[in-house]
């Protein structure tokens, strides 16, 4: 006689002593048997859970490695303990319940479903731990794996779901899978975003297009901020106004997205801004202006070199320097441009290994745009804006030194000009007024 038969005989003896009239064929006996199975499973589970908290958690917290702490935080050990009552139910059911009855099949299926759920949650904990360990490594800065972890969880969920259905209907999982293929069109419609997100995740990972922490801009969705999470179906972006934007993952590959990672990894952040110069303030430099400009340290060598170049040109071409029509002269805007170029090349916050340029853009109704093009070594937002503001503070303050004016549309001047506009009826009386004024003058 094996252990299961001995246990069954012992259980029958105890039930017969307590309830002499109850037989194994009675419904009350089956209720008692099921209650005994579940109570035994609970009684065994409780002390194991207590021992786990007393010893396993302390042991894990004492170790220096981080992977066991991650497993503990994601509930791996806590979920694994649930396999004990599931196994107890599975092992005690054939002992206490007759195997030819309906109740036996129901309890066995419940225990198997319990074990499947515990196994799935345990796998989830392992996958989440792998994600945390990967995110803590340097590889996370190159390729995020959150989407792949979610795909793995989805695959295991589908597998466990198929196994659970096969257990309930007592059919081969392959038979169920063959029936699911007939619903492929419906599944494609249901999992459309999931499939597109998975394909986009592969493209993002393979081409290293985006990663957590990247600053992106998507004009269509008014997104401007850092990527917080790239998931299977959604991407979370924290905008600079502290709002959170949630986008479909495939939008990163289907839409026009500006990624500022290249700027962050480069040697500087670009400054590209123009100030409009009033055309009426541009003039040729006379001797007094050149004498004044030459006292500026950054322009001394430039003016000396230019004057020498012009003197040689006039001598070669036999042109009198007082001949304004044929001679060459320096201009205040050209000298100002040379000053700004020298100013930028000596600025401590400008990367001199990258492009540094002061150029004129085509004139327009606002004047001549004088654009500064350079790269600041400060790339964070606040510091960058401070450097850019300091540069243009200096640019605008130096305009008056070079006898230049910045174009500015003054609203009070526009109103004044509008008030001076004469109504149409006054034009008819202008000849008479003119004749009266002329008579009065005489």
């Amino acid at each position: 006689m094996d252990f299961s038969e001995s246990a069954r005989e012992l259980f029958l003896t105890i039930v017969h002593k307590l309830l002499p009239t109850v037989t194994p064929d009675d419904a009350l006996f089956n209720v008692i048997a099921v209650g005994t199975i579940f109570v035994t499973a609970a009684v065994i589970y409780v002390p194991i859970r207590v021992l786990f908290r007393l010893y396993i958690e302390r042991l894990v917290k004492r170790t220096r490695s981080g992977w066991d702490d991650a497993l503990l935080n994601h509930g791996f050990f806590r979920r694994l303990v649930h396999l004990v009552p599931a196994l107890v139910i599975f092992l005690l059911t054939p002992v206490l319940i007759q195997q030819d009855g309906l109740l036996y099949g129901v309890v066995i299926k419940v225990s198997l479903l319990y074990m499947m759920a515990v196994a799935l949650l345990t796998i989830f904990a392992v996958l989440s731990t792998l994600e945390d360990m990967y995110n803590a490594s340097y590889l996370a800065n190159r390729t995020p794996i959150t989407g792949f972890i979610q795909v793995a969880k989805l695959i295991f969920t589908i597998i466990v779901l198929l196994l659970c259905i096969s257990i309930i209907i007592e059919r081969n999982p392959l038979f169920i899978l063959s029936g699911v293929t007939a619903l492929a069109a419906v599944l494609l419609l249901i999992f459309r975003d999931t499939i597109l997100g998975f394909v986009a995740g592969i493209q993002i990972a393979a081409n290293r297009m985006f990663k957590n922490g990247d600053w992106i801009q998507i004009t269509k969705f008014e997104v401007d901020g850092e990527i917080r999470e790239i998931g299977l179906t959604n991407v979370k972006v924290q905008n600079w106004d502290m709002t959170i934007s949630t986008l479909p993952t495939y939008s990163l590959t289907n839409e026009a997205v500006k990624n500022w990672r290249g700027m962050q990894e480069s040697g500087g952040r670009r400054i590209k801004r123009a100030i409009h110069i009033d055309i009426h303030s541009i003039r040729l430099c006379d001797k007094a202006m050149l004498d004044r400009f030459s006292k500026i340290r950054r322009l001394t060598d430039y003016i000396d070199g230019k004057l020498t170049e012009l003197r040689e040109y006039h001598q070669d071409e036999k042109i009198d320097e007082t001949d304004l029509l044929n001679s060459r002269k320096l201009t205040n805007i050209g000298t100002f441009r040379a000053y700004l170029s020298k100013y930028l090349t000596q600025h401590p916050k400008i990367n001199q290994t990258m492009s540094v340029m002061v150029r004129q853009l085509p004139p327009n109704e606002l004047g001549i745009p004088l654009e500064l093009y350079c790269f600041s070594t400060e790339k964070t937002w606040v510091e960058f804006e401070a450097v850019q503001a300091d540069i243009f503070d200096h640019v605008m303050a130096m305009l008056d030194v070079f006898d230049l004016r910045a174009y500015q549309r003054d609203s009070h001047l526009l109103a004044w000009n509008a008030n001076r506009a004469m109504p149409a009826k006054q034009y008819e009386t202008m000849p008479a007024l003119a004749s009266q004024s002329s008579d009065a003058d005489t």
Side-chain angles (χ1 to χ4, degrees), residues 274-278 364-370 399 405-408:
I275 181 170
H276 290 79
I277 305 297
D278 190 346
N364 52 42
E365 68 277 6
L366 302 179
I368 297 181
L370 194 64
L399 285 175
R405 292 192 306 271
Y407 179 85
Q408 179 174 323

Side-chain angles (χ1 to χ4, degrees), residues 253-273:
T253 57
N254 294 345
E255 303 294 339
V257 183
K258 179 186 286 187
N259 191 345
W260 288 82
R261 187 203 308 170
M263 178 275 295
Q264 294 171 336
E265 296 176 352
S266 67
R269 183 171 176 178
R270 187 179 69 173
I271 297 175
K272 184 177 180 292
R273 182 180 291 182

